[in-house]
Amino acid sequence: MQKLPMVQKKENGLTTYIPVGDTVIGRDFAVIAGPCSVESEEQIMETAVKVKDAGANILRGGAYKPRSSPYSFQGLGKTGLQYLRRAGQAVGLPVITEVLDTRDVYAVAEYADILQIGSRNMQNFSLLMEAGRSGKPVLLKRGMSSTIEEWLGSAEYIMKEGNPNVILCERGIRSVETYTRNTFDVSAIAALRELTHLPVIADPSHATGRAGLVPSMSLSAIMSGCDGLMIEVHPSPRDALSDANQQLTPAEFAALMSDVRKTLKLRERLRNEHGEDSFIARAETAGQ
Amino acid sequence: MQKLPMVQKKENGLTTYIPVGDTVIGRDFAVIAGPCSVESEEQIMETAVKVKDAGANILRGGAYKPRSSPYSFQGLGKTGLQYLRRAGQAVGLPVITEVLDTRDVYAVAEYADILQIGSRNMQNFSLLMEAGRSGKPVLLKRGMSSTIEEWLGSAEYIMKEGNPNVILCERGIRSVETYTRNTFDVSAIAALRELTHLPVIADPSHATGRAGLVPSMSLSAIMSGCDGLMIEVHPSPRDALSDANQQLTPAEFAALMSDVRKTLKLRERLRNEHGEDSFIARAETAGQ
Amino acid sequence: MQKLPMVQKKENGLTTYIPVGDTVIGRDFAVIAGPCSVESEEQIMETAVKVKDAGANILRGGAYKPRSSPYSFQGLGKTGLQYLRRAGQAVGLPVITEVLDTRDVYAVAEYADILQIGSRNMQNFSLLMEAGRSGKPVLLKRGMSSTIEEWLGSAEYIMKEGNPNVILCERGIRSVETYTRNTFDVSAIAALRELTHLPVIADPSHATGRAGLVPSMSLSAIMSGCDGLMIEVHPSPRDALSDANQQLTPAEFAALMSDVRKTLKLRERLRNEHGEDSFIARAETAGQ
Amino acid sequence: MQKLPMVQKKENGLTTYIPVGDTVIGRDFAVIAGPCSVESEEQIMETAVKVKDAGANILRGGAYKPRSSPYSFQGLGKTGLQYLRRAGQAVGLPVITEVLDTRDVYAVAEYADILQIGSRNMQNFSLLMEAGRSGKPVLLKRGMSSTIEEWLGSAEYIMKEGNPNVILCERGIRSVETYTRNTFDVSAIAALRELTHLPVIADPSHATGRAGLVPSMSLSAIMSGCDGLMIEVHPSPRDALSDANQQLTPAEFAALMSDVRKTLKLRERLRNEHGEDSFIARAETAGQ
């Protein structure tokens, strides 16, 4: 693997801490929840209240939507950002939203606590550098067919601009399988533990594209060693303007959060038994 | 998806039970462990003792090895079968081994409690049918780039010959990622819960090709809903004649088994709280 | 790339000659044509007459069909072999057909002049070895997601049994594209010129899965340096029992053959101008 | 396939004409040649003279280079644009260069006759729209793992901004094969003939990543029906700052151009014999 000095795992083996609101990503388990798109002030407000109640610590919602066709719903734009911000403030949650254009980085950074760079822009190097200069934490999704090495190269672009706060997000890669929207690469999450100090979030909603698979895949991701989850939640998934098949209802999300907490507790216990961060420890002894 | 009446999920939602020795696959969690290849009588005997002690309930070991080059180690053949059988009997474990050739099915069936059909033969339909007629349970690995639908089509071939005892084994599929040997498709395991009544085993050793990733991927697979694990264990992995990078030592396997048991306990508890088989239950309400 | 001494390119750079009937594959351009499946005596006879008239030099037709579902048409079996042989003899063409089972190799070899090993069996090593021992030329199709190196490894298995007459057949590999059935890897044909002395045939029918793309892809393949084409032709494609979308009518095939001859003439002329086998010559000077 | 009214094939079946300098892309066969990166004034000037002499009608050269690592050579930027423009003017060739950033579109458009959007930005929708508003023709490369449908969706984004002058460029997609840098999807070129009126250029340099395969793949692409070629040429490939393995020497390029002209002549003759655009004609009768 090429030299990427800023992203590579530190000698002390520690994960980088990234404070966002009251949560410290990398230390606290981060649950990012909310609708695929911000569709109206009521929709995002209702979702914010419910995901906060269920235990989410960051609110998500797309205002600028990257769509394969120019005729699909493109998001509410600046209005969406305002709705999202207001909903976050109302319930006391920091917010994350995607930025698509270098020229929008500063405007989006005014509203968002974390900038999201989506799969289609993972190698939009201008956007990476601009986000790097924004001063805001950046969540970098893996490209649709990107290798781990390319993904880390993109993270290095952000860090090289003076921004140490990069969060990686595994959201599935393309394969021959079509039953699921993508193929959720949980082994990449575990592999990143061997390669980088950056925290890693898992997005089972985009990885599978099927709401029915999100609960089990969330728990799978926890056992792979992820530092958080990003889950799509919509008050009424079937009416969603985008990604209707993969969003959970607030009730399903609340049930999932109960399982998430129990699974995290077990993971904590296993790590304590094996000594500081068991998954990494065993990787070091057993690996190549 | 095409009509595959014998493999498709039953109305009652139940998983098929397949008795092998004292284990009932589909009811009891099955841990299949042992070396990639049977290399000597001592090697398989030592491994058998140790994996049995650690809690494995089925012993694996390859006697006929499918290798990309004719100049790689091809396995000990019939002698390997005899060593495997003897080791299984000595410790009281049923054994599984791969069969490569239609003409060997009955000979292998004399020694093995489960016949394994490997990835390269997933669509070797003659072999599927012959294994179907053998009367032995068949573990069917997913092809390297096979869709779930093709995989279930192959299982239907076995069942159509009158053999109801088919076990599916997810072992990773090819993708653009090269850090791992394959891409472990845990979402396929969860998806199979929606599609079939057949039990599903996960093979994190072949899926990742890296011993360091096997522990976390084993626990991930449990939370995806699998009915068992297949793990490669070798007394001295670095000296192995095949797959040296992905085999665990007996001590690593024992440590993993301790985690496996705790993770299974949690899964049981979560299922009980949500009612009969929670992952499926939620799939049914939240799915498409 | 691993050592595969029997398949690797010879120092003299020459392609192996494989005599089949009046054609010498590797020296003469081989056009293999016929239906996907032998469906009736009339169907194969009519096709044989027409493809022979249009200039094909080998007749194809499947008697044992590998199908993803056990409920799809599986071919006429031995009866199909007899129809095929009779049709070949009637028009004076050697015949090729697929063998699926090690136990059938000798029976099929009685009827066929070339044994075909299909994509799904590219790593069915028992079948490769048995075909290697049959004494018949073997056409080895590339696996659905096989690398060139694995493909050559499989060819080595056949040659190692004492059979020098192996023909490689590129038929497309799986990718993310779904408009075409597979992705036709013409660059693999050119790459094989750098790596092996074995002749290479292109199968645009399976590679694209669309009759409308077969003519242009046939000419593309010629310019990539292939030694022949395998084209599916059916008297009435829409009524075909398998692969209805990709078979040409006899009239379409005849029109294509006229283009094929002109394109071959050009290729010959370009080779002569550049010296013995220009595509290789330039590969040697410009390559890595 | 979704509705994309602006890119879809017209009823009259005609290809769009895009005038650039003295060449009309879609009517005249376009050969775009030049180095991967503009490295110095001498390098681009020497290349310009030689590719013009050999028959190229458009000069290429990267000034802004998208690289996986921030530590790789990133191009000369604006200075590179100036060198490229000057070289083009000196020999009388229009120039094409890649634009990476929405904010650079107008600056690059001052120097370039065609804006290139690279694979990594195929779904950078802001960049597509900005390029659409620039008034300049846009060459849109296919994404690394993009389907034809997504590619056409991206072309629609450009056209929807009022820019009818979009050129598609096939440059290979990712697959399991690693001998070649990508897998050259010539069948996509033929497929686009059935789907869109936009002209299609083939880039065998990036598709294969190996200079030795560029000549045969160029001729293959011609027979697939492409409207032009993009070929990397460098005065001294082994000293190139990027893509050293895939660039031709000026002498190799001149030899290739001689073959290109003869192959085009044959294609013209075949088309005339079959009536107006034979490849499409047969697609219409034989296709699905």
Side-chain angles (χ1 to χ4, degrees):
Chain A
M1 207 169 271
Q2 56 181 329
K3 277 278 181 211
L4 297 171
M6 308 189 90
V7 301
Q8 78 181 19
K9 204 181 162 187
K10 298 174 199 159
E11 264 183 53
N12 61 18
L14 296 180
T15 300
T16 284
Y17 283 2
I18 302 177
V20 178
D22 299 335
T23 302
V24 178
I25 298 176
R27 185 193 69 187
D28 312 329
F29 193 78
V31 178
I32 304 170
C36 177
S37 303
V38 178
E39 296 170 2
S40 70
E41 189 155 19
E42 297 67 41
Q43 175 243 22
I44 187 66
M45 192 63 83
E46 179 184 347
T47 312
V49 170
K50 295 205 167 138
V51 300
K52 161 86 175 183
D53 277 358
N57 33 28
I58 300 169
L59 178 66
R60 65 152 283 154
Y64 299 96
K65 300 300 302 172
R67 306 301 297 274
S68 296
S69 163
Y71 307 110
S72 301
F73 175 61
Q74 307 275 318
L76 297 183
K78 197 157 187 179
T79 310
L81 292 178
Q82 292 167 335
Y83 293 163
L84 176 67
R85 178 102 224 122
R86 239 176 275 162
Q89 284 172 334
V91 300
L93 286 183
V95 300
I96 178 173
T97 198
E98 182 167 355
V99 58
L100 294 177
D101 191 320
T102 42
R103 296 166 302 189
D104 294 340
V105 167
Y106 288 88
V108 174
E110 275 183 51
Y111 294 94
D113 299 287
I114 306 175
L115 300 178
Q116 177 179 318
I117 293 183
S119 290
R120 292 168 184 79
N121 283 311
M122 193 200 86
Q123 292 197 316
N124 178 344
F125 300 113
S126 301
L127 185 61
L128 297 175
M129 288 187 280
E130 198 67 27
R133 290 188 286 264
S134 71
K136 290 280 179 175
V138 179
L139 182 140
L140 178 65
K141 290 203 158 191
R142 184 180 190 181
M144 291 193 182
S145 291
S146 296
T147 63
I148 292 173
E149 185 172 0
E150 291 167 335
W151 191 10
L152 291 176
S154 290
E156 187 89 8
Y157 268 96
I158 301 171
M159 294 187 75
K160 201 162 162 276
E161 298 302 311
N163 188 337
N165 297 318
V166 179
I167 304 147
L168 301 170
C169 180
E170 161 62 29
R171 44 76 74 198
I173 52 175
R174 292 199 161 169
S175 79
V176 298
E177 186 53 64
T178 53
Y179 185 79
T180 45
R181 185 173 173 182
N182 291 291
T183 294
F184 191 27
D185 187 4
V186 287
S187 64
I189 299 173
L192 286 166
R193 286 273 157 268
E194 303 180 356
L195 298 170
T196 183
H197 58 86
L198 296 173
V200 186
I201 300 279
D203 175 351
S205 304
H206 283 89
T208 64
R210 302 177 78 102
L213 301 178
V214 168
S216 56
M217 288 303 103
S218 298
L219 307 187
S220 272
I222 291 173
M223 299 314 277
S224 74
C226 72
D227 298 292
L229 293 168
M230 180 178 250
I231 311 260
E232 289 195 349
V233 181
H234 190 285
S236 175
R238 77 187 60 194
D239 303 317
L241 298 179
S242 53
D243 289 350
N245 291 330
Q246 75 193 34
Q247 306 199 57
L248 298 186
T249 63
E252 288 163 347
F253 177 68
L256 169 58
M257 282 304 290
S258 156
D259 290 4
V260 163
R261 276 185 291 268
K262 287 164 194 151
T263 306
L264 283 171
K265 214 178 216 167
L266 171 67
R267 189 176 76 173
E268 202 51 32
R269 191 181 139 205
L270 298 181
R271 283 184 170 168
N272 289 337
E273 285 171 12
H274 289 288
E276 170 74 28
D277 202 339
S278 65
F279 298 117
I280 295 173
R282 265 175 294 162
E284 280 167 353
T285 54
Q288 310 181 272
Chain B
M1 209 169 270
Q2 55 180 329
K3 277 279 181 209
L4 297 170
M6 308 189 91
V7 301
Q8 78 181 20
K9 203 180 162 188
K10 299 176 198 156
E11 263 183 53
N12 61 18
L14 296 180
T15 299
T16 283
Y17 283 3
I18 302 177
V20 179
D22 299 335
T23 302
V24 178
I25 298 176
R27 184 193 71 185
D28 311 329
F29 193 78
V31 178
I32 304 170
C36 177
S37 302
V38 177
E39 297 169 3
S40 70
E41 188 154 21
E42 298 67 39
Q43 174 242 24
I44 187 67
M45 192 63 82
E46 180 185 347
T47 312
V49 170
K50 294 207 167 137
V51 302
K52 162 85 175 182
D53 278 357
N57 33 28
I58 300 170
L59 178 66
R60 66 153 282 153
Y64 299 95
K65 300 300 302 173
R67 306 300 296 273
S68 297
S69 163
Y71 307 111
S72 302
F73 175 62
Q74 307 274 320
L76 297 183
K78 197 157 187 177
T79 310
L81 292 177
Q82 292 166 336
Y83 292 163
L84 177 67
R85 178 100 225 125
R86 243 177 272 161
Q89 284 171 333
V91 300
L93 287 183
V95 300
I96 177 172
T97 199
E98 182 166 355
V99 59
L100 295 176
D101 191 320
T102 43
R103 296 166 302 189
D104 294 339
V105 167
Y106 288 88
V108 174
E110 275 182 52
Y111 294 93
D113 299 287
I114 307 176
L115 300 177
Q116 177 179 316
I117 293 183
S119 291
R120 292 169 184 78
N121 282 311
M122 193 200 87
Q123 293 197 316
N124 178 344
F125 300 114
S126 302
L127 186 60
L128 298 174
M129 288 187 281
E130 198 67 26
R133 289 188 287 264
S134 71
K136 291 279 178 176
V138 179
L139 181 138
L140 178 65
K141 289 203 157 191
R142 184 181 187 180
M144 291 194 183
S145 290
S146 295
T147 62
I148 293 173
E149 185 171 359
E150 291 167 335
W151 192 10
L152 291 175
S154 289
E156 187 89 8
Y157 268 96
I158 301 169
M159 295 188 74
K160 201 161 162 279
E161 298 302 312
N163 188 336
N165 296 319
V166 179
I167 305 147
L168 300 170
C169 179
E170 161 62 29
R171 44 77 74 200
I173 52 174
R174 292 201 160 168
S175 79
V176 298
E177 187 53 64
T178 54
Y179 185 81
T180 44
R181 185 173 174 182
N182 292 291
T183 294
F184 191 27
D185 188 4
V186 288
S187 65
I189 299 172
L192 285 167
R193 287 270 158 271
E194 303 181 357
L195 298 169
T196 182
H197 58 87
L198 296 173
V200 186
I201 300 280
D203 174 352
S205 304
H206 282 88
T208 65
R210 301 178 80 102
L213 301 179
V214 168
S216 56
M217 288 304 102
S218 297
L219 307 187
S220 273
I222 291 173
M223 300 314 278
S224 74
C226 71
D227 298 290
L229 293 168
M230 178 178 253
I231 312 261
E232 289 195 347
V233 181
H234 190 284
S236 176
R238 77 187 61 195
D239 302 316
L241 297 179
S242 55
D243 289 351
N245 291 328
Q246 75 193 34
Q247 306 199 56
L248 297 186
T249 64
E252 288 164 347
F253 177 68
L256 170 56
M257 283 302 292
S258 157
D259 290 4
V260 163
R261 277 185 290 268
K262 287 164 193 152
T263 306
L264 283 171
K265 213 179 218 168
L266 172 66
R267 189 175 78 173
E268 202 49 35
R269 189 179 140 207
L270 298 182
R271 282 186 170 165
N272 289 337
E273 284 172 12
H274 289 289
E276 171 74 29
D277 201 339
S278 65
F279 298 118
I280 295 172
R282 266 175 294 161
E284 279 169 353
T285 54
Q288 311 180 271
Chain C
M1 207 167 270
Q2 55 181 330
K3 278 277 180 210
L4 297 170
M6 308 188 90
V7 301
Q8 78 182 18
K9 202 181 161 184
K10 299 176 199 158
E11 263 182 56
N12 61 18
L14 296 180
T15 299
T16 284
Y17 284 1
I18 302 177
V20 179
D22 300 334
T23 301
V24 178
I25 298 176
R27 184 192 71 185
D28 312 329
F29 193 79
V31 178
I32 304 170
C36 177
S37 304
V38 177
E39 297 170 1
S40 70
E41 188 155 19
E42 296 67 39
Q43 175 242 23
I44 187 65
M45 192 62 84
E46 179 184 348
T47 313
V49 170
K50 294 210 168 135
V51 300
K52 160 87 176 183
D53 278 357
N57 33 27
I58 301 170
L59 178 66
R60 66 153 282 152
Y64 299 95
K65 300 300 303 172
R67 307 300 298 272
S68 297
S69 163
Y71 307 111
S72 301
F73 174 62
Q74 307 274 319
L76 298 184
K78 196 158 184 176
T79 310
L81 291 178
Q82 292 166 335
Y83 292 163
L84 177 67
R85 178 100 223 124
R86 238 176 277 161
Q89 284 171 332
V91 300
L93 288 183
V95 300
I96 178 173
T97 198
E98 183 166 356
V99 59
L100 294 177
D101 191 319
T102 42
R103 297 167 301 190
D104 295 340
V105 167
Y106 288 88
V108 174
E110 275 183 51
Y111 294 94
D113 299 286
I114 307 176
L115 300 178
Q116 178 178 318
I117 294 185
S119 290
R120 292 169 184 78
N121 283 311
M122 192 201 85
Q123 293 197 314
N124 178 343
F125 300 113
S126 302
L127 186 60
L128 297 175
M129 288 187 282
E130 198 68 26
R133 289 189 287 264
S134 72
K136 290 279 179 176
V138 179
L139 182 139
L140 178 65
K141 289 202 158 192
R142 185 180 188 180
M144 290 193 185
S145 291
S146 295
T147 62
I148 292 174
E149 186 172 358
E150 292 167 334
W151 191 9
L152 291 175
S154 290
E156 187 89 7
Y157 268 97
I158 300 170
M159 293 188 75
K160 201 162 161 278
E161 299 302 313
N163 189 337
N165 297 318
V166 178
I167 304 147
L168 301 170
C169 180
E170 160 63 29
R171 45 74 76 200
I173 52 175
R174 291 198 162 171
S175 79
V176 298
E177 187 53 64
T178 54
Y179 185 79
T180 44
R181 185 173 174 182
N182 292 290
T183 294
F184 191 29
D185 188 3
V186 286
S187 64
I189 299 172
L192 286 167
R193 287 270 158 269
E194 303 180 357
L195 298 169
T196 183
H197 59 86
L198 296 173
V200 187
I201 299 281
D203 175 352
S205 304
H206 283 88
T208 63
R210 302 178 79 102
L213 301 179
V214 168
S216 55
M217 288 302 103
S218 297
L219 307 188
S220 272
I222 291 173
M223 298 316 277
S224 75
C226 71
D227 298 291
L229 293 168
M230 180 179 250
I231 312 260
E232 289 194 348
V233 181
H234 190 284
S236 174
R238 77 187 61 195
D239 302 317
L241 297 179
S242 54
D243 290 350
N245 291 328
Q246 74 194 33
Q247 305 199 56
L248 298 187
T249 64
E252 287 163 348
F253 177 68
L256 169 57
M257 282 302 290
S258 156
D259 289 4
V260 162
R261 277 185 290 266
K262 286 165 194 151
T263 306
L264 283 171
K265 212 180 219 166
L266 172 67
R267 189 175 77 172
E268 202 49 35
R269 189 180 140 204
L270 297 181
R271 283 185 170 167
N272 289 337
E273 284 171 11
H274 289 288
E276 171 72 30
D277 204 338
S278 66
F279 298 116
I280 295 174
R282 266 174 293 160
E284 280 168 353
T285 53
Q288 310 181 272
Chain D
M1 206 167 271
Q2 56 180 330
K3 277 279 181 208
L4 296 170
M6 307 189 91
V7 301
Q8 78 182 18
K9 202 180 162 187
K10 299 175 199 159
E11 264 183 54
N12 61 19
L14 296 180
T15 300
T16 283
Y17 283 2
I18 302 178
V20 179
D22 298 336
T23 302
V24 177
I25 299 175
R27 185 193 70 187
D28 312 329
F29 193 78
V31 178
I32 304 171
C36 177
S37 302
V38 178
E39 297 170 2
S40 70
E41 189 156 18
E42 297 65 40
Q43 175 241 21
I44 186 67
M45 191 64 80
E46 180 185 346
T47 312
V49 170
K50 294 205 168 139
V51 301
K52 162 85 177 184
D53 278 357
N57 33 29
I58 300 170
L59 179 66
R60 67 153 281 152
Y64 299 95
K65 300 300 303 172
R67 306 301 296 272
S68 296
S69 163
Y71 307 111
S72 301
F73 174 60
Q74 307 274 317
L76 297 183
K78 196 158 184 176
T79 309
L81 292 178
Q82 291 165 338
Y83 292 163
L84 177 67
R85 177 98 224 125
R86 239 176 277 162
Q89 283 171 334
V91 300
L93 288 184
V95 300
I96 178 172
T97 199
E98 182 167 355
V99 59
L100 295 176
D101 191 319
T102 43
R103 296 166 303 190
D104 294 340
V105 166
Y106 288 89
V108 175
E110 274 183 52
Y111 294 93
D113 299 288
I114 307 176
L115 300 177
Q116 177 178 319
I117 293 183
S119 290
R120 292 169 183 78
N121 283 311
M122 193 201 85
Q123 292 196 315
N124 178 344
F125 300 114
S126 301
L127 186 60
L128 298 175
M129 288 187 281
E130 199 67 26
R133 288 188 289 263
S134 72
K136 291 279 178 175
V138 179
L139 181 140
L140 178 65
K141 288 201 159 193
R142 185 180 186 180
M144 290 193 184
S145 291
S146 296
T147 63
I148 292 174
E149 185 171 359
E150 291 167 337
W151 191 10
L152 291 176
S154 290
E156 187 90 7
Y157 267 97
I158 301 170
M159 294 189 74
K160 200 162 161 278
E161 297 302 312
N163 189 336
N165 296 318
V166 179
I167 304 147
L168 301 170
C169 179
E170 161 63 28
R171 45 76 74 199
I173 52 175
R174 291 199 162 170
S175 79
V176 298
E177 187 51 65
T178 54
Y179 185 80
T180 45
R181 185 173 176 182
N182 292 290
T183 294
F184 191 28
D185 187 4
V186 287
S187 64
I189 299 172
L192 285 167
R193 287 271 158 268
E194 302 181 358
L195 298 169
T196 183
H197 58 87
L198 296 173
V200 186
I201 300 280
D203 175 352
S205 304
H206 283 88
T208 64
R210 301 177 80 103
L213 301 179
V214 168
S216 55
M217 288 303 104
S218 298
L219 307 188
S220 273
I222 291 173
M223 299 314 279
S224 76
C226 71
D227 298 291
L229 294 167
M230 179 179 251
I231 312 260
E232 288 195 349
V233 180
H234 190 284
S236 176
R238 76 186 63 194
D239 302 316
L241 298 178
S242 54
D243 289 351
N245 291 329
Q246 74 194 34
Q247 306 197 55
L248 297 187
T249 63
E252 288 163 348
F253 177 68
L256 169 57
M257 282 302 292
S258 156
D259 290 4
V260 163
R261 277 185 290 267
K262 286 166 194 151
T263 306
L264 283 171
K265 213 178 217 169
L266 172 67
R267 188 175 78 174
E268 203 49 35
R269 189 181 139 205
L270 298 182
R271 282 186 171 167
N272 288 338
E273 284 171 13
H274 289 289
E276 172 72 29
D277 204 339
S278 65
F279 299 116
I280 295 174
R282 264 174 296 160
E284 279 169 353
T285 53
Q288 312 181 270

